[in-house]
Amino acid sequence: MNLTKYQDALDQADSLKRYGKVLRAVGLMIESLGPEANIGEVCRIHSTAKKKYVTAEVVGFSNEKIILMPYAQVTEIGPGCLVESTGKALTVKIGRGLIGNVVNSVGECLDDSKLPKGLSSYLTEQAPPNPLTRPPISEPIQTGVKSIDSLLTVGKGQRIGIFAGSGVGKSTLLGMIARNSSADINVIALIGERGREVREFIDQELGEEGLKKSIVVVATSDQPALMRIKGAYTATAISEYFRDLGYQVNLLMDSITRIAMAQREVGLAIGEPPTTKGYTPSVFAALPKLLERTGTSRSGTITAFYTVLVDGDDMNEPIADSVRGILDGHFILDRKLAEQGHFPAINVLKSISRVMRKIVSQKHIDAARQIRELMATYEENNELIQIGAYKRGTNQEIDRAISYHPKINAFLKQGISDYHALEESIDQMQKLLNGGV
């Protein structure tokens, strides 16, 4: 019997457990003297009062002092508490048995039930794929939303930003895409949401049918900053796992802005200088690392929809500007449209899908271009038309735009529970241009 590998394992094993001790805790940060640990490693801080521990992650160090951020609220931790390193980064349990479940940022079931058996351990932080191993996006994916499928067609493996202020319908739109999409599986990350909205989203926006092919990752606004950040990484890791199995995955993340705010909290706590609007440099370094992990690979695709909550409807604020430059397209939700009862409130003229021309037919492109031209012409002359200063017959293009305006508006509106297949949406667009309703 060959015992060499066992002897090698014994030689490499360390029989001593090394601990550090807590020196101080200030705000989000816990500082300890030791143990030996690298950035990203998970540590356990043992409570003095009870045989319990708080899980934390190494986010920085200064000489021999380790800076830790806890995954949970810190209670019963004081000076001198023992700090033990696990020697590894955060891993979560992932597998097909997870489908239909709601989990927290570290992969535990939110209803306190046990995880299904047969799951695999998977690191939450992975490197983005090599650019040369990414196949080009070549075919469309159905979202079930007419205005998107017809005028802003999304490809399998595309990454889209949904930009809007608060209360304009981002979550509702995500729910429609999750229910109606042609993807094999949805991974939905609710980051920094109000606790009340989580149950509402699952029961009302997603529904029973949507949950059957979804995994929901939840990190509510009351949780520590690190848990909100890890929620995004865990959801992305789950998506990567299923992509590598050959699935067509939809990742729907709400919202990137709250992840950036959580990263800012962590950065300020460990002493980073604030820059644009108080955001630390690590925020702008972390965004591309997270967003570039999704997309196409040799085995499957992750089509990602990221919502961006813009302050005061300012589409050029730092996070919105940075995210828009990384992604493959953006949908702008317009508050004016929402106030008029136009849902989904997508401003088609301000939105773009950067891969649409490569994945649809020339006939589809021509029809979409014609509708955009009609909408743009009406928008340019809207004030003249509304005050009655424009006389019909003056300009043939404006006359045509006025006659098509109510038909286009009716086409772009869609009820929350309405479902339209990709081909059906394209056919309706063609009929609209040919004089149909």
Side-chain angles (χ1 to χ4, degrees), residues 98-101 178 185-186 188 206 210-216:
L98 210 58
I99 299 171
N101 282 293
I185 183 172
N186 299 311
I188 303 166
L206 187 58
L211 187 59
K212 282 181 182 176
K213 68 167 189 174
S214 303
I215 299 168
V216 184

Side-chain angles (χ1 to χ4, degrees), residues 96 184 240-249 297-301:
R96 292 183 179 90
D184 300 323
E240 289 170 328
Y241 174 85
F242 284 102
R243 176 185 65 185
D244 294 343
L245 291 179
Y247 285 86
Q248 310 298 326
V249 183
S297 78
R298 286 171 178 166
S299 48
T301 62

Side-chain angles (χ1 to χ4, degrees), residues 257-414:
T257 309
R258 293 192 179 111
I259 297 163
M261 288 176 175
Q263 185 68 49
R264 176 174 63 184
E265 285 180 46
V266 173
L268 291 172
I270 63 175
E272 279 191 82
T275 53
T276 316
K277 272 203 172 182
Y279 288 105
T280 55
S282 63
V283 174
F284 301 101
L287 283 175
K289 288 179 184 176
L290 175 65
L291 302 179
E292 285 290 343
R293 286 170 62 180
T294 55
T296 58
S297 78
R298 286 171 178 166
S299 48
T301 62
I302 302 174
T303 307
F305 296 87
Y306 300 101
T307 69
V308 182
L309 182 64
V310 291
D311 285 338
D313 294 338
D314 176 16
M315 298 298 167
N316 296 314
E317 58 99 25
I319 297 302
D321 210 34
S322 179
V323 171
R324 191 165 50 240
I326 297 167
L327 300 178
D328 309 318
H330 53 269
F331 301 158
I332 305 293
L333 301 191
D334 196 324
R335 192 174 295 279
K336 288 182 180 177
L337 290 175
E339 288 168 352
Q340 295 165 10
H342 186 297
F343 289 102
I346 299 172
N347 188 322
V348 173
L349 293 177
K350 291 182 180 179
S351 304
I352 190 169
S353 169
R354 290 187 177 135
V355 304
M356 180 178 172
R357 289 185 169 272
K358 300 170 186 174
I359 59 174
V360 300
S361 66
Q362 189 60 45
K363 188 179 179 183
H364 184 167
I365 292 169
D366 292 341
R369 179 180 50 78
Q370 287 181 56
I371 288 181
R372 276 180 171 270
E373 286 174 356
L374 290 166
M375 293 175 73
T377 302
Y378 187 91
E379 188 69 26
E380 283 171 15
N381 300 278
N382 186 37
E383 288 185 12
L384 291 174
I385 295 165
Q386 294 301 323
I387 63 173
Y390 175 76
K391 292 183 180 179
R392 281 183 177 269
T394 307
N395 184 300
Q396 192 176 352
E397 285 299 313
I398 299 175
D399 289 345
R400 189 163 178 259
I402 293 170
S403 66
Y404 271 96
H405 180 68
K407 294 179 182 178
I408 293 172
N409 264 357
F411 169 71
L412 294 178
K413 286 181 183 178
Q414 184 172 336

Side-chain angles (χ1 to χ4, degrees), residues 66-130:
I66 303 294
I67 300 171
L68 300 154
M69 299 288 287
Y71 287 142
Q73 301 293 345
V74 179
T75 55
E76 299 174 351
I77 297 293
C81 285
L82 293 178
V83 181
E84 176 192 1
S85 175
T86 62
K88 57 184 180 181
L90 179 66
T91 59
V92 292
K93 296 285 186 180
I94 309 174
R96 292 183 179 90
L98 210 58
I99 299 171
N101 282 293
V102 182
V103 298
N104 64 13
S105 299
V106 292
E108 299 165 343
C109 287
L110 212 61
D111 59 2
D112 294 327
S113 62
K114 289 186 177 180
L115 286 170
K117 293 182 179 179
L119 304 181
S120 306
S121 292
Y122 199 87
L123 280 170
T124 58
E125 295 201 35
Q126 302 280 345
N130 186 321

Side-chain angles (χ1 to χ4, degrees), residues 188-244:
I188 303 166
L190 304 177
I191 311 298
E193 287 284 346
R194 305 173 189 91
R196 173 185 63 81
E197 289 183 338
V198 172
R199 190 61 185 263
E200 285 184 6
F201 179 86
I202 293 168
D203 291 348
Q204 298 173 19
E205 313 294 355
L206 187 58
E208 191 179 337
E209 287 302 312
L211 187 59
K212 282 181 182 176
K213 68 167 189 174
S214 303
I215 299 168
V216 184
V217 181
V218 175
T220 49
S221 57
D222 60 294
Q223 294 186 348
L226 200 61
M227 281 291 270
R228 282 175 268 147
I229 296 167
K230 288 300 169 187
Y233 284 94
T234 296
T236 307
I238 293 170
S239 303
E240 289 170 328
Y241 174 85
F242 284 102
R243 176 185 65 185
D244 294 343

